[in-house]
Amino acid sequence: MTDFYRAISDPIRRRTLTLVSHKELTQSELVANFSISQPALKKHLAILIEENLITERRDGRYCFYRLKREVFYDHYQKLQHELGSILENKLVKLKDYLEEDNNGESH
Amino acid sequence: MTDFYRAISDPIRRRTLTLVSHKELTQSELVANFSISQPALKKHLAILIEENLITERRDGRYCFYRLKREVFYDHYQKLQHELGSILENKLVKLKDYLEEDNNGESH
DNA sequence: ACATCGTATAACCTTTTGGTTATATGATAA
DNA sequence: TTATCATATAACCAAAAGGTTATACGATGT
């Protein structure tokens, strides 16, 4: 299942996304940034791949990862829309209230 | 621990936030919007309260919930900053590259 | 006074999450 | 060719997440 919220809910995955947004990095380079084991980070990478947020490129014994910026951007846009609408609801309510002619009613 | 990402990672909680952003609602009104049990929704509400995203107000046998818009806004701002910076990194890189005088170097 | 309604809580279950260690495999450097 | 390095994978574990049913409790309508 595709779940952007799940992907970004973990701080290690968010940091990983930041790291691979600067440049393509190998798995061991990434591991060096955390205090977790290589298999543990591999699982985080697997989740990011599963959510289609990063690419994996094999070159010899190295494995390079980088951000799929367009995909991340699309998901981020949707998230902004969803969360943004939660914030805007009150404004919409206020707008509706002002536009209706019930200004004399209570509360 | 305060974790906005955790709070918004569940679709039921996101929908709950939307619902209580329109108007103050009772627990049973909220439950009616989902196909989960009352104790299950209660747990979601407890998490939203724990993350300080909603208020709980008791009135007789009713319990009203509503969005703490300012708190939600602050967390949302931070999230936007964090995720937004992931997207901007490439632009920053390009800017740095152009500003430095290493334009003749490879890759 | 009593039934009912809204909420709270306990006990329990399954699946997911996030980690570990041990070990295998495949590419490369000496 | 042999040791080493980077990655993959299996087996395991504890805790968290998300749900259930049963039941208790307090407020309210009849």
Side-chain angles (χ1 to χ4, degrees), chain B residues 6 10 12-13 36-37 39-40 43-44 60-61:
Chain B
R6 170 205 184 206
D10 188 278
I12 288 184
R13 287 197 288 273
I36 61 173
S37 65
K43 286 188 190 179
H44 286 298
R61 59 178 163 177

Side-chain angles (χ1 to χ4, degrees), chain A residues 18-66:
Chain A
T18 299
L19 290 169
V20 299
S21 77
H22 290 99
K23 59 177 289 207
E24 210 178 34
L25 291 173
T26 70
Q27 195 175 301
S28 50
E29 283 173 328
L30 286 169
V31 169
N33 282 274
F34 304 99
S35 49
I36 60 174
S37 65
Q38 173 258 324
L41 185 66
K42 183 74 208 310
K43 285 189 189 177
H44 286 298
L45 291 170
I47 288 171
L48 293 174
I49 289 168
E50 187 187 338
E51 305 296 345
N52 201 30
L53 291 170
I54 61 172
T55 58
E56 190 180 44
R57 181 176 65 86
R58 197 68 192 252
D59 185 7
R61 59 178 164 177
Y62 297 97
C63 208
F64 290 90
Y65 298 89
R66 82 178 163 76

Side-chain angles (χ1 to χ4, degrees), chain B residues 3-27:
Chain B
D3 188 352
F4 183 61
Y5 289 95
R6 170 205 184 206
I8 63 168
S9 69
D10 188 278
I12 288 184
R13 287 197 288 273
R14 289 197 298 274
R15 180 121 184 265
T16 299
L17 288 171
T18 299
L19 289 168
V20 299
S21 78
H22 291 99
K23 58 177 292 207
E24 209 177 34
L25 292 173
T26 69
Q27 195 175 302

Side-chain angles (χ1 to χ4, degrees), chain B residues 68-101:
Chain B
K68 286 183 108 171
R69 199 168 306 264
E70 344 72 52
V71 176
F72 183 88
Y73 180 74
D74 288 347
H75 284 300
Y76 180 48
Q77 289 283 95
K78 270 193 281 186
L79 176 145
Q80 281 193 120
H81 187 266
E82 187 172 10
L83 300 190
S85 78
I86 292 174
L87 279 171
E88 286 158 23
N89 279 336
K90 194 161 199 171
L91 299 180
V92 171
K93 265 193 71 186
L94 176 61
K95 183 169 163 289
D96 290 351
Y97 174 78
L98 291 174
E99 282 175 355
E100 286 174 19
D101 253 6

Side-chain angles (χ1 to χ4, degrees), chain A residues 70-81:
Chain A
E70 342 72 53
V71 176
F72 183 89
Y73 179 75
D74 288 348
H75 284 299
Y76 180 48
Q77 289 283 95
K78 271 194 282 187
L79 176 146
Q80 277 190 322
H81 186 266

